[in-house]
């Protein structure tokens, strides 16, 4: 995907803001509710995205490797204040990607050396799709912003079929004919809108 840095950072901020809005909409009695991610409760889902954000400064700013970070972000990272922990992690991730030169770097991910721009694009897509998951779980509006949907669809389409082989995603499903970009995006990632 060819995208300029300014647009990439804008989409990243928008995706984090979208997920933040959903996190702040979670009622106290909803943290244990199931999500479209079959093994995760609402808390598990927010914990996953929070952990993902905590990795960003380590990998992008510090240029650490997976081995160097180790298991620092495994398990429950939310503690007793999940919204505040999410907010801090999202701010730190946004700051790390926005640093001058950050998106010109290479980061060491679990599957190898990756351009930071690709890592950022993957993080955007993750936040967009999980915003829908969280919306469905808590009864929030499920319509995602068109710019984020189109970005995520363009990002994930080339490798969507391989994602189910990782065991982290359901296999793609066939979307209903004529459905829009959001339905196609969700179907690529094994979700029914």
């Amino acid at each position: 995907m060819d995208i300029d840095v300014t647009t990439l950072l804008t989409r990243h901020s928008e995706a984090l803001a979208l997920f933040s809005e959903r996190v702040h909409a979670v009622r106290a009695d909803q943290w244990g509710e199931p999500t479209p991610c079959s093994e995760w409760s609402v808390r598990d889902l927010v914990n996953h995205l929070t952990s993902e954000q905590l990795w960003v400064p380590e990998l992008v700013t510090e240029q650490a490797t997976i081995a160097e970070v180790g298991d620092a972000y495994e398990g429950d990272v939310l503690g007793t204040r999940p919204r505040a922990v999410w907010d801090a992690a999202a701010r730190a991730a946004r700051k790390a990607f926005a640093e001058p030169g950050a998106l010109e770097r290479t980061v060491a991910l679990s599957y190898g050396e990756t351009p930071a721009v690709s890592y950022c694009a993957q993080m955007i897509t993750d936040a967009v799709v999980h915003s829908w998951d969280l919306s469905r779980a808590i009864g929030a509006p499920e319509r995602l912003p068109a710019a984020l949907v189109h970005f995520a669809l363009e990002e994930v389409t080339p490798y969507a079929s391989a994602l189910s082989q990782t065991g982290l995603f359901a296999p793609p499903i066939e979307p209903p004919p004529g459905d829009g970009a959001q339905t196609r995006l969700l179907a690529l990632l094994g979700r029914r809108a």
Side-chain angles (χ1 to χ4, degrees):
M1 171 190 312
D2 287 328
I3 189 165
D4 67 271
V5 170
T6 302
T7 302
L8 188 67
L9 291 174
T10 298
R11 293 291 96 82
H12 183 251
S13 291
E14 291 168 351
L16 291 179
L18 178 64
F19 194 78
S20 294
E21 182 181 290
R22 297 308 190 263
V23 169
H24 284 271
V26 177
R27 295 188 320 261
D29 64 340
Q30 291 182 312
W31 290 99
E33 292 296 311
T35 70
C37 304
S38 60
E39 302 297 317
W40 287 345
S41 67
V42 166
R43 184 179 175 93
D44 295 331
L45 177 61
V46 174
N47 189 73
H48 164 71
L49 253 290
T50 303
S51 176
E52 292 284 312
Q53 305 320 305
L54 291 170
W55 277 94
V56 175
E58 299 273 8
L59 298 175
V60 175
T61 304
E62 301 300 324
Q63 296 278 269
T65 65
I66 301 286
E68 289 168 340
V69 178
D71 61 0
Y73 305 120
E74 289 182 19
D76 180 17
V77 298
L78 297 177
T80 59
R81 300 179 60 223
R83 288 181 192 86
V85 174
W86 160 259
D87 289 343
R91 274 192 308 274
R94 190 169 33 253
K95 180 180 174 188
F97 278 128
E99 286 176 357
L103 292 174
E104 297 167 13
R105 298 178 187 146
T106 298
V107 294
L109 301 181
S110 58
Y111 52 84
E113 298 288 310
T114 303
V117 291
S118 297
Y119 177 41
C120 186
Q122 292 164 17
M123 294 293 283
I124 293 165
T125 300
D126 205 34
V128 170
V129 173
H130 285 317
S131 290
W132 180 85
D133 292 331
L134 188 52
S135 296
R136 174 144 294 185
I138 66 171
E142 294 180 14
R143 177 60 45 203
L144 301 170
L148 289 174
V149 168
H150 289 290
F151 178 93
L153 188 58
E154 187 176 339
E155 165 62 23
V156 79
T157 296
Y159 57 82
S161 61
L163 289 175
S164 64
Q165 297 168 7
T166 66
L168 301 173
F169 294 87
I173 58 174
E174 190 65 34
D179 269 4
Q182 179 171 317
T183 301
R184 289 195 312 275
L185 171 65
L186 297 171
L188 274 175
L189 298 171
R191 292 157 168 86
R192 291 193 190 280

Coordinates of all heavy atoms in Angstrom, one line a residue, residues 121-159:
A121 N 0.5 0.5 9.7 CA -0.7 0.1 8.9 C -1.4 -1.1 9.5 O -2.7 -1.1 9.6 CB -0.3 -0.1 7.5
Q122 N -0.7 -2.0 10.0 CA -1.3 -3.2 10.6 C -2.0 -2.9 11.9 O -3.0 -3.4 12.2 CB -0.2 -4.3 10.9 CG 0.4 -4.9 9.6 CD 1.7 -5.6 9.8 OE1 2.0 -6.0 11.0 NE2 2.4 -5.9 8.7
M123 N -1.3 -1.9 12.7 CA -1.9 -1.5 14.0 C -3.2 -0.7 13.7 O -4.2 -0.9 14.5 CB -0.9 -0.6 14.7 CG 0.3 -1.4 15.2 SD 0.0 -2.6 16.4 CE -0.2 -1.6 17.8
I124 N -3.3 0.0 12.7 CA -4.5 0.7 12.3 C -5.6 -0.3 12.0 O -6.7 -0.2 12.6 CB -4.3 1.7 11.1 CG1 -3.3 2.8 11.4 CG2 -5.6 2.2 10.6 CD1 -2.8 3.5 10.2
T125 N -5.3 -1.2 11.2 CA -6.3 -2.2 10.8 C -6.8 -3.0 12.0 O -8.0 -3.2 12.2 CB -5.7 -3.2 9.7 OG1 -5.3 -2.4 8.6 CG2 -6.7 -4.3 9.4
D126 N -5.9 -3.4 12.9 CA -6.2 -4.1 14.1 C -7.2 -3.3 15.0 O -8.2 -3.8 15.4 CB -5.0 -4.4 14.9 CG -5.1 -5.6 15.8 OD1 -5.8 -6.6 15.5 OD2 -4.5 -5.6 16.9
A127 N -6.9 -2.0 15.1 CA -7.8 -1.1 15.9 C -9.1 -0.9 15.3 O -10.2 -0.9 16.0 CB -7.1 0.2 16.2
V128 N -9.2 -0.8 14.0 CA -10.5 -0.6 13.3 C -11.3 -1.9 13.4 O -12.5 -1.7 13.9 CB -10.2 -0.3 11.8 CG1 -11.5 -0.4 11.0 CG2 -9.5 1.0 11.6
V129 N -10.8 -3.0 13.2 CA -11.6 -4.2 13.2 C -12.0 -4.5 14.7 O -13.2 -4.9 14.9 CB -10.8 -5.4 12.6 CG1 -11.6 -6.7 12.8 CG2 -10.6 -5.2 11.1
H130 N -11.1 -4.3 15.6 CA -11.5 -4.6 17.0 C -12.5 -3.5 17.5 O -13.2 -3.8 18.5 CB -10.3 -4.7 17.9 CG -9.6 -6.0 17.7 ND1 -10.2 -7.2 17.6 CD2 -8.2 -6.3 17.6 CE1 -9.3 -8.2 17.4 NE2 -8.1 -7.7 17.4
S131 N -12.5 -2.4 16.9 CA -13.5 -1.4 17.3 C -14.9 -1.9 17.0 O -15.9 -1.7 17.7 CB -13.3 0.0 16.6 OG -12.1 0.6 17.1
W132 N -15.0 -2.6 15.8 CA -16.3 -3.2 15.5 C -16.6 -4.3 16.4 O -17.7 -4.4 16.9 CB -16.2 -3.7 14.0 CG -17.5 -4.4 13.6 CD1 -18.6 -3.7 13.1 CD2 -17.9 -5.8 13.8 NE1 -19.7 -4.7 12.9 CE2 -19.2 -5.9 13.3 CE3 -17.2 -6.9 14.2 CZ2 -19.9 -7.1 13.3 CZ3 -17.8 -8.1 14.2 CH2 -19.2 -8.2 13.7
D133 N -15.6 -5.2 16.8 CA -15.8 -6.2 17.7 C -16.4 -5.7 19.0 O -17.3 -6.2 19.6 CB -14.5 -7.0 18.0 CG -14.0 -7.8 16.8 OD1 -14.8 -8.2 16.0 OD2 -12.8 -8.0 16.7
L134 N -15.7 -4.6 19.5 CA -16.1 -4.1 20.8 C -17.5 -3.4 20.7 O -18.3 -3.6 21.6 CB -15.1 -3.0 21.3 CG -15.2 -2.5 22.7 CD1 -15.3 -3.6 23.7 CD2 -14.0 -1.6 23.0
S135 N -17.8 -2.8 19.6 CA -19.1 -2.2 19.4 C -20.2 -3.2 19.5 O -21.2 -3.0 20.1 CB -19.1 -1.5 18.0 OG -18.2 -0.4 17.9
R136 N -20.0 -4.3 18.8 CA -21.0 -5.4 18.8 C -21.1 -6.0 20.2 O -22.3 -6.2 20.6 CB -20.6 -6.5 17.8 CG -21.5 -7.7 17.9 CD -21.8 -8.4 16.7 NE -22.5 -7.6 15.7 CZ -22.9 -8.2 14.5 NH1 -22.7 -9.4 14.3 NH2 -23.6 -7.4 13.7
A137 N -20.1 -6.1 20.9 CA -20.1 -6.7 22.2 C -20.9 -5.8 23.2 O -21.6 -6.4 24.1 CB -18.7 -7.0 22.7
I138 N -20.7 -4.5 23.1 CA -21.3 -3.6 24.1 C -22.6 -2.9 23.6 O -23.2 -2.1 24.3 CB -20.3 -2.6 24.6 CG1 -19.9 -1.6 23.5 CG2 -19.1 -3.3 25.2 CD1 -19.1 -0.4 24.0
G139 N -23.0 -3.2 22.4 CA -24.2 -2.6 21.8 C -24.0 -1.2 21.4 O -25.0 -0.4 21.3
A140 N -22.8 -0.8 21.0 CA -22.5 0.5 20.5 C -22.8 0.5 19.0 O -22.8 -0.5 18.4 CB -21.1 0.9 20.8
P141 N -22.8 1.7 18.4 CA -23.0 1.7 16.9 C -21.9 1.0 16.2 O -20.7 1.2 16.5 CB -22.9 3.3 16.6 CG -23.4 3.9 17.9 CD -22.9 3.0 19.0
E142 N -22.3 0.2 15.2 CA -21.3 -0.7 14.6 C -20.8 -0.1 13.3 O -19.8 -0.6 12.7 CB -21.9 -2.1 14.3 CG -22.2 -2.8 15.5 CD -22.8 -4.2 15.3 OE1 -22.8 -4.7 14.1 OE2 -23.4 -4.8 16.2
R143 N -21.4 1.0 12.8 CA -20.9 1.6 11.5 C -19.5 2.2 11.8 O -19.4 3.1 12.7 CB -21.9 2.6 11.1 CG -21.5 3.4 9.8 CD -21.3 2.6 8.5 NE -22.2 1.6 8.2 CZ -22.0 0.5 7.5 NH1 -20.8 0.4 6.9 NH2 -22.9 -0.4 7.2
L144 N -18.5 1.8 11.0 CA -17.2 2.4 11.2 C -17.0 3.5 10.2 O -17.6 3.5 9.1 CB -16.2 1.3 10.9 CG -16.3 0.0 11.8 CD1 -15.4 -1.1 11.3 CD2 -15.9 0.4 13.3
P145 N -16.1 4.5 10.5 CA -15.8 5.6 9.5 C -15.3 5.0 8.2 O -14.4 4.2 8.2 CB -14.8 6.4 10.3 CG -15.0 6.1 11.7 CD -15.4 4.6 11.8
A146 N -15.8 5.6 7.1 CA -15.5 5.1 5.8 C -14.0 5.1 5.5 O -13.5 4.2 4.9 CB -16.3 5.8 4.7
A147 N -13.4 6.2 5.9 CA -11.9 6.3 5.6 C -11.1 5.2 6.2 O -10.2 4.6 5.6 CB -11.4 7.7 6.0
L148 N -11.5 4.8 7.5 CA -10.8 3.8 8.2 C -11.1 2.4 7.6 O -10.2 1.5 7.5 CB -11.2 3.8 9.7 CG -10.6 5.0 10.4 CD1 -11.1 5.0 11.9 CD2 -9.1 4.9 10.5
V149 N -12.4 2.2 7.2 CA -12.7 0.9 6.6 C -12.0 0.7 5.3 O -11.4 -0.3 5.0 CB -14.3 0.9 6.3 CG1 -14.6 -0.3 5.4 CG2 -15.0 0.8 7.6
H150 N -11.9 1.8 4.4 CA -11.2 1.6 3.1 C -9.7 1.4 3.3 O -9.1 0.6 2.6 CB -11.5 2.8 2.2 CG -12.9 2.8 1.7 ND1 -13.4 1.9 0.8 CD2 -14.0 3.6 2.0 CE1 -14.7 2.2 0.6 NE2 -15.1 3.2 1.3
F151 N -9.2 2.1 4.3 CA -7.8 1.9 4.6 C -7.5 0.5 5.0 O -6.6 -0.2 4.5 CB -7.3 2.9 5.8 CG -5.9 2.7 6.1 CD1 -4.9 3.4 5.5 CD2 -5.5 1.7 7.0 CE1 -3.5 3.2 5.8 CE2 -4.2 1.5 7.4 CZ -3.2 2.3 6.8
A152 N -8.3 0.0 6.0 CA -8.1 -1.4 6.5 C -8.3 -2.4 5.4 O -7.6 -3.4 5.3 CB -9.0 -1.6 7.7
L153 N -9.3 -2.2 4.6 CA -9.6 -3.1 3.5 C -8.5 -3.2 2.5 O -8.0 -4.3 2.1 CB -10.9 -2.7 2.8 CG -11.5 -3.7 1.8 CD1 -11.8 -5.1 2.4 CD2 -12.7 -3.1 1.2
E154 N -7.9 -2.1 2.2 CA -6.8 -2.1 1.3 C -5.5 -2.7 1.9 O -4.8 -3.4 1.3 CB -6.5 -0.6 0.9 CG -5.4 -0.5 -0.2 CD -5.1 0.9 -0.7 OE1 -6.0 1.8 -0.5 OE2 -4.0 1.1 -1.3
E155 N -5.4 -2.5 3.2 CA -4.2 -3.0 3.9 C -4.3 -4.6 4.0 O -3.4 -5.3 3.7 CB -4.1 -2.4 5.3 CG -3.2 -3.2 6.3 CD -1.8 -3.2 5.9 OE1 -1.3 -2.4 5.1 OE2 -1.1 -4.1 6.4
V156 N -5.4 -5.1 4.4 CA -5.5 -6.5 4.8 C -5.8 -7.4 3.6 O -5.5 -8.6 3.6 CB -6.6 -6.7 5.9 CG1 -8.0 -6.7 5.4 CG2 -6.3 -8.0 6.7
T157 N -6.4 -6.9 2.5 CA -6.8 -7.7 1.4 C -5.7 -8.6 0.8 O -5.8 -9.8 0.6 CB -7.4 -6.9 0.2 OG1 -8.6 -6.3 0.8 CG2 -7.7 -7.7 -1.0
P158 N -4.4 -8.1 0.6 CA -3.4 -8.9 0.1 C -3.0 -10.1 0.9 O -2.5 -11.1 0.4 CB -2.2 -8.0 -0.1 CG -2.8 -6.6 -0.1 CD -4.0 -6.7 0.8
Y159 N -3.2 -10.1 2.2 CA -2.7 -11.2 3.0 C -3.8 -11.8 3.9 O -3.6 -12.6 4.8 CB -1.6 -10.8 3.9 CG -1.8 -9.6 4.8 CD1 -2.4 -9.7 6.1 CD2 -1.3 -8.3 4.5 CE1 -2.6 -8.6 6.9 CE2 -1.5 -7.2 5.3 CZ -2.1 -7.4 6.5 OH -2.3 -6.3 7.4

